[in-house]
Amino acid sequence: MHLEYKVQGGNFSKAGHASGEIKKVLKQLNVNPMVIKRIVVALYEAEVNIVAHAYEGDIIVDIDDSKVHVVLNDSGPGIPSIERAMEKGYSTASPLVREMGFGAGMGLPNIKKNTDELNIKSVVGVGTTVDFINYL
Amino acid sequence: MEKQSPSSIFHAIYVDEDRCIGCTRCMKICSTAAIRICNGTAMISNSRCIDCGECMKACNSNAIHISQGDLQSIFKYKYRVALIPAVLFGQFKLDVTHDDLHRALLSLGFTSVYEEELSAEFQIDAIRRFQQESDIKPVISSFCPAIVRLIQVKFPTLTENLVLVKSLIDITGLTILKEAANKGIDPSDVGIFYITPCAAKICAVVSPVGDEKSPITGFLNMDMMFDRLSIELQKIKGTVDPDFKRKTSLTRTEVKWSLTGGEIKHAFGRKLSIDGIANVIEFLNKVDDEAIDDIDFLELRACDQGCAGGILTQGNRFLTVEKLMMRANKKAVNKRHGPYYSDITYDEIKVPTVNPRPIEGLDKDISVAIKKMEQKQEIYKMLPQLDCGCCGCPTCEAFSEDVVKSLKPLSSCMFIQVAFNSKNDKGKEIIKKIWGDSKIVEELKNKLENDN
């Protein structure tokens, strides 16, 4: 099963919308609630990352009977050091974004914690791809 | 009391098929999409219903009923205990005193009267312990049985956020039995009857979540008891009973406990109280999306104004709250109660676990569920998406789900029928005029022909 969603950078009022929709689908597919929880945490963090940092992006989800594969593509500033971004508490979020309650530097570490396979590719000035798999 | 097998879930709400006209009001209000119209009457799904009572409030035909307790059944017991929630006081005029109400209950045949909220202190302890012993956020109050059931079916991952403690009714019931045992009374001689303000609490008494059995013997509906008590209160009005001595009094905390905001001040950290089932669902969706991670405690009530808004209450909920607040401020005591309190340990009031009972899965087998999901999305796209309810389902989404589950034929949809029946060009024209071309597409017709 294939799902696609568009995410707009800076649109904080809609942040989490795609994650919510995907959660609804996973519930109907009878995926174990605890597995859904992990996927939704990772997905929400990654979606908010696009909203907080990038100009725009899309989320592509493929589901089969063994796994959920999620790819988040964005065009945006990119991540200069993925290694540093994986550290807890490290954040490049603007003061404005932080004021809204985002940008605590827990995004990528949280995604790592809640996924079975995680692959991040980024080109500075072009964009970032977050690709993760959770097994069912 | 009827025994329930584990596979069937007890419900206190049922439809009177003779009165139901299939108007769809209840179907549209139901927050778990538990109702369908079938052969002209509403049918309630056993696995989806949470006994919140919203359908009963919405019904204009008086066709939704709640199981009735029988006042005569108390006389099977030598010791007959009336267990009453504080909101019962709020049903009567202010000149009816706490003593009057106890006396009226005794004259109906009870041998003693206890208030449900007498054990609220135990719940405060349980909430605080649960908050301290787990790193779960937010911890969710398990006071309202409709909310507990809502979480089981609609938010299965949040079952682990619920405080694992017996209901107030059961804890107070246990203290009553202990007190009786201390006096050398055989527990089988004691009948404890709970005067319930709502349907969900009947379920909590008949089949408590996470627990084998409740110490409560039976229930009596508050609307029926209001009528009976009103007559007794008339009889005792202006009289004095020199032998009467009331045993129990509620503290301010206890009087307010079942109202919105009654619990939260006793929990730690950042906390919110939310009432009304639609409000609760809106917020739990946020929590479930992981969008809220900095709230420590949630007090949730299915009814507006908490138990004052219970479906079986007689009085206006706002006035009930006002009267209870007056009582809390003027009549309530500040000190603790008698010795029967301390006899209960935390281990005795814990419940082992609350099981999730998810309702949303399309099939047990994930690969089949994926296929059905894809079909469902296809069907949904063909539907008018007006949620008219004419097919007997609350929404077009629910209908498309019922179609893939083979519970309804696609032809139950009026729009599909009109589009399919090419002879009926007039009907087609009318629908086109109102809803536009997009609702009737040739593709749809072809698709239907292929399906048949």
Side-chain angles (χ1 to χ4, degrees):
Chain A
M1 162 156 225
H2 182 83
L3 303 165
E4 281 183 33
Y5 300 89
K6 287 251 172 277
V7 183
Q8 227 186 346
N11 190 350
F12 283 92
S13 59
K14 280 267 185 218
H17 177 76
S19 311
E21 292 295 311
I22 294 162
K23 179 192 72 181
K24 272 192 214 158
V25 171
L26 293 173
K27 276 187 173 182
Q28 294 185 52
L29 296 182
N30 224 11
V31 174
N32 178 319
M34 296 309 151
V35 176
I36 296 182
K37 196 168 183 171
R38 291 186 73 213
I39 296 170
V40 173
V41 174
L43 200 54
Y44 180 77
E45 291 287 0
E47 186 183 351
V48 168
N49 279 348
I50 298 180
V51 177
H53 299 283
Y55 315 125
E56 60 176 5
D58 45 40
I59 303 177
I60 299 155
V61 185
D62 281 288
I63 309 165
D64 62 35
D65 55 5
S66 66
K67 63 182 184 300
V68 176
H69 182 190
V70 182
V71 181
L72 299 102
N73 280 312
D74 74 47
S75 49
I79 307 169
S81 164
I82 292 172
E83 222 168 77
R84 288 208 66 188
M86 294 298 286
E87 288 168 18
K88 281 185 185 176
Y90 176 82
S91 175
T92 57
S94 67
L96 181 71
V97 167
R98 283 167 200 251
E99 218 163 84
M100 290 173 170
F102 301 95
M106 294 305 288
L108 291 188
N110 237 345
I111 295 173
K112 177 94 190 144
K113 203 175 91 184
N114 286 290
T115 51
D116 296 331
E117 277 175 34
L118 174 65
N119 210 326
I120 303 172
K121 285 190 194 116
S122 188
V123 179
V124 174
V126 178
T128 304
T129 301
V130 175
D131 182 320
F132 68 80
I133 294 175
N134 277 28
Y135 293 99
L136 303 176
Chain B
M1 205 179 302
E2 63 188 288
K3 277 257 184 291
Q4 294 293 314
S5 70
S7 58
S8 78
I9 299 151
F10 175 82
H11 293 293
I13 288 179
Y14 60 94
V15 178
D16 180 341
E17 288 177 18
D18 293 333
R19 284 195 166 166
C20 179
I21 57 165
C23 71
T24 77
R25 281 191 181 85
C26 58
M27 179 176 85
K28 288 190 171 162
I29 202 116
C30 178
S31 54
T32 57
I35 301 178
R36 299 289 184 275
I37 310 295
C38 215
N39 295 326
T41 56
M43 311 267 287
I44 305 178
S45 152
N46 189 54
S47 56
R48 285 178 170 259
C49 176
I50 58 168
D51 292 271
C52 67
E54 290 299 313
C55 52
M56 192 174 164
K57 283 181 202 161
C59 183
N60 275 2
S61 312
N62 195 18
I64 294 184
H65 298 319
I66 293 184
S67 311
Q68 280 278 349
D70 174 16
L71 189 55
Q72 285 308 308
S73 66
I74 71 171
F75 294 102
K76 288 182 213 156
Y77 298 86
K78 191 173 169 195
Y79 301 95
R80 303 175 288 275
V81 181
L83 183 58
I84 59 174
V87 287
L88 181 64
F89 293 112
Q91 308 304 308
F92 298 95
K93 286 186 180 156
L94 277 174
D95 61 2
V96 172
T97 65
H98 202 151
D99 279 1
D100 292 340
L101 195 62
H102 277 230
R103 280 180 63 197
L105 284 160
L106 296 180
S107 76
L108 280 177
F110 290 99
T111 57
S112 56
V113 182
Y114 288 83
E115 287 81 7
E116 171 191 358
E117 287 87 352
L118 282 170
S119 54
E121 289 288 329
F122 287 114
Q123 290 235 328
I124 295 176
D125 268 2
I127 291 167
R128 290 182 171 171
R129 272 183 197 235
F130 195 83
Q131 282 192 292
Q132 283 169 328
E133 287 168 10
S134 73
D135 51 6
I136 289 167
K137 270 189 191 185
V139 165
I140 301 175
S141 158
S142 50
F143 173 82
C144 174
I147 296 295
V148 172
R149 283 157 175 79
L150 173 75
I151 289 174
Q152 282 183 293
V153 299
K154 219 174 152 74
F155 302 99
T157 56
L158 298 179
T159 47
E160 59 180 31
N161 298 48
L162 286 163
V163 180
L164 293 171
V165 65
K166 284 182 197 291
S167 69
L168 263 188
I169 313 169
D170 282 1
I171 303 173
T172 310
L174 279 181
T175 63
I176 294 166
L177 289 179
K178 285 219 165 191
E179 198 190 8
N182 287 342
K183 287 181 185 162
I185 294 169
D186 181 350
S188 65
D189 281 339
V190 183
I192 306 174
F193 293 85
Y194 179 63
I195 299 180
T196 181
C198 69
K201 286 198 167 191
I202 296 178
C203 298
V205 167
V206 176
S207 93
V209 171
D211 233 354
E212 288 282 297
K213 200 179 168 296
S214 163
I216 309 302
T217 318
F219 62 89
L220 298 162
N221 301 27
M222 193 178 282
D223 53 350
M224 177 269 289
M225 288 302 284
F226 175 83
D227 296 342
R228 299 299 298 264
L229 286 167
S230 298
I231 297 167
E232 294 307 313
L233 284 166
Q234 277 300 321
K235 285 188 204 158
I236 61 169
K237 202 174 180 183
T239 66
V240 185
D241 180 356
D243 299 328
F244 174 77
K245 197 169 174 297
R246 179 158 53 87
K247 287 203 298 189
T248 55
S249 299
L250 291 178
T251 65
R252 269 176 207 144
T253 294
E254 289 160 354
V255 174
K256 295 185 208 164
W257 190 261
S258 70
L259 305 177
T260 306
E263 271 177 276
I264 48 165
K265 78 172 189 196
H266 306 283
F268 296 126
R270 284 183 69 195
K271 50 221 176 178
L272 274 179
S273 56
I274 302 173
D275 60 10
I277 196 118
N279 295 335
V280 168
I281 289 174
E282 181 192 333
F283 198 80
L284 288 182
N285 264 320
K286 287 252 174 225
V287 176
D288 207 21
D289 288 349
E290 309 296 328
I292 289 161
D293 57 7
D294 50 357
I295 295 293
D296 298 288
F297 183 76
L298 285 178
E299 174 206 286
L300 307 174
R301 304 276 196 264
C303 296
D304 182 26
Q305 307 298 319
C307 292
I311 187 77
L312 294 172
T313 57
Q314 180 77 22
N316 173 282
R317 61 192 183 281
F318 304 108
L319 290 173
T320 302
V321 171
E322 187 258 357
K323 283 187 268 188
L324 284 176
M325 287 302 189
M326 294 258 279
R327 228 176 251 278
N329 293 333
K330 285 187 181 159
K331 306 270 169 63
V333 290
N334 271 322
K335 62 176 193 292
R336 289 258 44 84
H337 303 283
Y340 61 90
Y341 245 99
S342 51
D343 280 0
I344 297 249
T345 64
Y346 182 53
D347 282 338
E348 285 174 274
I349 62 166
K350 272 198 301 197
V351 293
T353 174
V354 174
N355 289 325
R357 301 194 268 116
I359 49 172
E360 283 166 57
L362 292 171
D363 201 282
K364 278 186 185 139
D365 182 332
I366 289 184
S367 46
V368 178
I370 290 172
K371 271 200 198 98
K372 286 188 176 169
M373 186 73 207
E374 284 164 350
Q375 282 176 344
K376 182 186 155 180
Q377 289 175 336
E378 279 290 296
I379 294 167
Y380 183 68
K381 275 186 229 154
M382 299 197 299
L383 298 175
Q385 297 169 26
L386 301 168
D387 298 344
C388 66
C390 296
C391 60
C393 297
T395 58
C396 289
E397 206 201 325
F399 176 66
S400 51
E401 196 173 317
D402 282 7
V403 172
V404 296
K405 286 180 172 172
S406 305
L407 299 171
K408 289 244 177 201
L410 197 47
S411 55
S412 303
C413 173
M414 302 293 225
F415 287 84
I416 301 260
Q417 268 183 35
V418 169
F420 189 49
N421 186 357
S422 54
K423 285 178 199 161
N424 197 351
D425 280 340
K426 201 177 171 196
K428 214 166 159 182
E429 281 308 309
I430 293 169
I431 287 185
K432 248 188 197 173
K433 211 170 159 188
I434 303 172
W435 307 110
D437 248 348
S438 61
K439 299 286 186 239
I440 301 166
V441 281
E442 285 305 309
E443 279 168 55
L444 177 72
K445 204 180 134 188
N446 296 337
K447 165 100 184 142
L448 277 164
E449 276 165 1
N450 290 339
D451 280 359
N452 293 338

Short mmCIF file of all heavy atoms in Angstrom, two decimals, chain B residues 99 113 130 132 146 215 231 264 293 295 336 347 361 398 416 437:
data_model
loop_
_atom_site.label_atom_id
_atom_site.label_comp_id
_atom_site.label_asym_id
_atom_site.label_seq_id
_atom_site.Cartn_x
_atom_site.Cartn_y
_atom_site.Cartn_z
N ASP B 99 -28.91 14.99 56.26
CA ASP B 99 -29.68 14.11 57.18
C ASP B 99 -31.00 13.66 56.54
O ASP B 99 -31.36 12.49 56.61
CB ASP B 99 -30.01 14.86 58.49
CG ASP B 99 -28.83 14.84 59.44
OD1 ASP B 99 -27.78 14.27 59.06
OD2 ASP B 99 -28.95 15.39 60.55
N VAL B 113 -26.33 3.98 54.87
CA VAL B 113 -26.03 4.80 53.71
C VAL B 113 -24.56 5.21 53.73
O VAL B 113 -24.05 5.63 54.77
CB VAL B 113 -26.91 6.09 53.71
CG1 VAL B 113 -26.63 6.92 52.46
CG2 VAL B 113 -28.38 5.75 53.81
N PHE B 130 1.19 6.29 41.09
CA PHE B 130 1.31 5.94 39.68
C PHE B 130 2.18 6.97 38.96
O PHE B 130 3.03 6.62 38.14
CB PHE B 130 -0.09 5.88 39.04
CG PHE B 130 -0.12 5.20 37.71
CD1 PHE B 130 -0.20 3.81 37.63
CD2 PHE B 130 -0.07 5.93 36.53
CE1 PHE B 130 -0.23 3.17 36.39
CE2 PHE B 130 -0.10 5.29 35.29
CZ PHE B 130 -0.18 3.91 35.22
N GLN B 132 4.52 8.80 40.31
CA GLN B 132 5.90 8.69 40.77
C GLN B 132 6.61 7.44 40.28
O GLN B 132 7.80 7.46 40.00
CB GLN B 132 5.95 8.73 42.31
CG GLN B 132 5.76 10.14 42.84
CD GLN B 132 5.54 10.17 44.34
OE1 GLN B 132 4.95 9.24 44.90
NE2 GLN B 132 5.99 11.23 44.98
N ALA B 146 -16.72 5.50 31.21
CA ALA B 146 -16.92 5.67 29.76
C ALA B 146 -15.59 6.05 29.11
O ALA B 146 -15.28 5.61 28.00
CB ALA B 146 -17.98 6.73 29.49
N PRO B 215 -17.24 -5.57 44.29
CA PRO B 215 -17.88 -5.91 45.57
C PRO B 215 -19.32 -5.39 45.67
O PRO B 215 -20.01 -5.66 46.64
CB PRO B 215 -16.98 -5.22 46.60
CG PRO B 215 -16.28 -4.14 45.86
CD PRO B 215 -16.19 -4.57 44.42
N ILE B 231 -40.79 11.38 47.13
CA ILE B 231 -41.99 11.01 47.90
C ILE B 231 -41.63 10.84 49.38
O ILE B 231 -42.31 11.37 50.26
CB ILE B 231 -42.62 9.71 47.33
CG1 ILE B 231 -43.09 9.95 45.89
CG2 ILE B 231 -43.78 9.23 48.21
CD1 ILE B 231 -43.43 8.68 45.12
N ILE B 264 -8.02 17.07 39.65
CA ILE B 264 -6.69 17.49 39.20
C ILE B 264 -5.83 18.16 40.25
O ILE B 264 -4.62 18.04 40.20
CB ILE B 264 -6.68 18.39 37.94
CG1 ILE B 264 -7.67 19.50 38.04
CG2 ILE B 264 -6.82 17.60 36.67
CD1 ILE B 264 -7.41 20.56 36.98
N ASP B 293 3.60 16.24 24.86
CA ASP B 293 4.44 15.39 25.70
C ASP B 293 4.81 16.06 27.02
O ASP B 293 5.61 15.55 27.78
CB ASP B 293 5.72 14.96 24.94
CG ASP B 293 6.50 16.16 24.45
OD1 ASP B 293 6.14 17.29 24.81
OD2 ASP B 293 7.48 15.95 23.71
N ILE B 295 2.39 17.35 29.35
CA ILE B 295 1.30 17.40 30.33
C ILE B 295 1.44 16.15 31.20
O ILE B 295 1.64 15.05 30.70
CB ILE B 295 -0.07 17.42 29.62
CG1 ILE B 295 -0.25 18.72 28.81
CG2 ILE B 295 -1.22 17.26 30.62
CD1 ILE B 295 -0.35 19.98 29.64
N ARG B 336 -10.70 14.00 58.51
CA ARG B 336 -10.87 12.69 57.91
C ARG B 336 -11.96 11.87 58.61
O ARG B 336 -12.52 12.29 59.62
CB ARG B 336 -9.54 11.92 57.98
CG ARG B 336 -8.48 12.47 57.05
CD ARG B 336 -8.35 11.61 55.81
NE ARG B 336 -9.62 11.21 55.25
CZ ARG B 336 -10.33 11.97 54.41
NH1 ARG B 336 -9.90 13.13 54.05
NH2 ARG B 336 -11.49 11.54 53.94
N ASP B 347 -2.16 -2.47 47.65
CA ASP B 347 -2.22 -3.71 46.86
C ASP B 347 -3.65 -4.19 46.63
O ASP B 347 -3.96 -4.78 45.60
CB ASP B 347 -1.43 -4.83 47.55
CG ASP B 347 0.06 -4.65 47.32
OD1 ASP B 347 0.42 -3.96 46.34
OD2 ASP B 347 0.84 -5.16 48.14
N GLY B 361 -9.32 -2.12 13.18
CA GLY B 361 -8.69 -3.00 12.21
C GLY B 361 -9.67 -3.55 11.18
O GLY B 361 -10.78 -3.92 11.52
N ALA B 398 -17.45 5.37 7.07
CA ALA B 398 -17.93 4.16 7.75
C ALA B 398 -18.62 3.22 6.76
O ALA B 398 -18.47 2.00 6.84
CB ALA B 398 -18.88 4.53 8.88
N ILE B 416 -25.23 6.10 -5.38
CA ILE B 416 -24.78 5.01 -6.24
C ILE B 416 -25.98 4.44 -6.99
O ILE B 416 -25.92 4.19 -8.18
CB ILE B 416 -24.10 3.89 -5.40
CG1 ILE B 416 -22.90 4.46 -4.65
CG2 ILE B 416 -23.76 2.69 -6.25
CD1 ILE B 416 -21.57 4.21 -5.23
N ASP B 437 -21.70 17.93 -11.12
CA ASP B 437 -21.40 16.80 -11.99
C ASP B 437 -20.53 15.74 -11.33
O ASP B 437 -20.66 14.55 -11.59
CB ASP B 437 -20.67 17.32 -13.24
CG ASP B 437 -21.54 17.16 -14.46
OD1 ASP B 437 -22.56 16.46 -14.35
OD2 ASP B 437 -21.18 17.73 -15.50
#
